[in-house]
Amino acid sequence: MFFSRLLKFTQTLPFVWFSCLTGVIILQCQQYRDFFTPSSSNNYYQEEQEQKRLVNAQQQLPGLDYDNIVADWTYLNFIQYYGDKPAREQTGHSLVTDYFKTISSFDPRFSKAYLTLSTANTIHAGKPEETIILMEKVLKSVSPESPEAALLWTAKGLDELLYLGDIQAAKNSYKTAADLASIHGESGAELAVRYRNTAEFLAQNPDITEAQILAWSLVLPNIRDKQHRQEIITKIDELKSKLQTAQETEQ
């Protein structure tokens, strides 16, 4: 039944797109079969490689007039991947960035997805720098009238502040968020005031070292890759040393 419906749908598609889509469907069916098969910790890494193969195949799909379909489909795959807690406890969240890149390349206006993807990529995958780069890309396309636009700018601002320590960039992001929130009249007025207050606070160049230590400490337990863990531990140690030096100077 599924394949008969699929055939009717794909008869209207260009041949190249249909060929690519068929290949991804085969991979997808394999993935769902594996999903309903009990897994042990020994093959979670194998599943991770299969999922990486799938998302890479999705990146190769020519969008044509079906970009939204590919983006929606990839997002559903991401939700399945992200929600597989036993597997993520073993392998971590290394593919979140791949999903983020794929979805943003096909549908940069998919604003609701990016609220989840930005948090997942920063806190669970531990890649705030890449989150900011990808957010800058999608924010060029997200409509200012979108209810999520202001929230996306604050998410970017928070990453800039806590993980990059770039107070000036964070201030600009919060100012933009305030302007976008004010578009929505009374419903956004309170948020606009809050974001402007945050921007004004950041203009005073506050010491955010303690907040950065806490932020990176929340990321560390989610990271499974040894090299990546060590990089984060080094960041935390450097921030602690900076804080200690500042406290000693004050005394």
Side-chain angles (χ1 to χ4, degrees):
M1 178 66 70
F2 170 76
F3 285 103
S4 64
R5 291 179 179 176
L6 176 66
L7 181 60
K8 291 180 181 178
F9 171 69
T10 53
Q11 284 175 344
T12 64
L13 302 180
F15 176 74
V16 173
W17 202 94
F18 171 67
S19 299
C20 296
L21 179 63
T22 302
V24 174
I25 288 171
I26 292 171
L27 290 171
Q28 184 71 74
C29 291
Q30 175 68 33
Q31 184 185 36
Y32 278 113
R33 189 190 72 181
D34 293 341
F35 179 73
F36 289 106
T37 301
S39 299
S40 67
S41 59
N42 293 331
N43 63 16
Y44 283 140
Y45 293 95
Q46 180 181 347
E47 291 178 0
E48 181 93 348
Q49 292 304 309
E50 292 174 353
Q51 288 167 327
K52 185 173 182 63
R53 202 153 47 95
L54 174 63
V55 73
N56 287 339
Q58 289 170 321
Q59 288 176 5
Q60 302 306 314
L61 279 174
L64 301 180
D65 294 326
Y66 308 96
D67 289 1
N68 291 349
I69 295 175
V70 178
D72 291 348
W73 190 3
T74 306
Y75 185 64
L76 290 174
N77 291 337
F78 160 73
I79 293 298
Q80 178 183 311
Y81 169 83
Y82 188 55
D84 191 347
K85 187 175 180 180
R88 300 292 69 77
E89 287 177 349
Q90 292 291 325
T91 67
H93 297 75
S94 63
L95 296 187
V96 173
T97 308
D98 296 271
Y99 283 112
F100 200 157
K101 288 179 179 178
T102 303
I103 294 168
S104 63
S105 66
F106 281 103
D107 188 1
R109 295 182 179 85
F110 196 176
S111 54
K112 290 183 179 179
Y114 301 127
L115 291 174
T116 302
L117 285 161
S118 63
T119 300
N121 201 53
T122 293
I123 296 179
H124 294 281
K127 298 179 179 178
E129 296 91 347
E130 293 193 44
T131 301
I132 291 169
I133 291 171
L134 289 166
M135 289 289 277
E136 287 175 345
K137 173 185 174 181
V138 302
L139 284 168
K140 293 177 181 178
S141 299
V142 172
S143 170
E145 287 76 26
S146 169
E148 293 83 21
L151 294 175
L152 290 172
W153 276 99
T154 60
K156 175 174 170 285
L158 196 60
D159 284 346
E160 290 166 334
L161 181 66
L162 296 181
Y163 297 101
L164 269 62
D166 191 338
I167 295 178
Q168 181 62 39
K171 183 190 74 173
N172 292 337
S173 291
Y174 275 96
K175 286 177 65 177
T176 302
D179 293 340
L180 293 173
S182 64
I183 292 176
H184 300 282
E186 292 184 6
S187 62
E190 184 177 345
L191 287 176
V193 171
R194 188 184 307 171
Y195 298 153
R196 286 198 180 93
N197 288 342
T198 301
E200 290 172 3
F201 171 72
L202 293 177
Q204 301 172 26
N205 197 33
D207 186 352
I208 59 169
T209 309
E210 286 190 72
Q212 286 186 279
I213 293 171
L214 176 59
W216 280 113
S217 297
L218 291 173
V219 170
L220 186 59
N222 300 318
I223 308 304
R224 298 294 176 266
D225 181 78
K226 291 182 179 180
Q227 181 178 347
H228 195 182
R229 281 183 61 84
Q230 187 55 53
E231 290 171 356
I232 294 175
I233 290 171
T234 300
K235 287 180 186 290
I236 294 173
D237 288 342
E238 290 173 350
L239 288 166
K240 286 181 177 179
S241 178
K242 177 183 176 182
L243 180 63
Q244 183 177 359
T245 300
Q247 291 174 340
E248 290 173 353
T249 301
E250 289 177 359
Q251 294 174 356

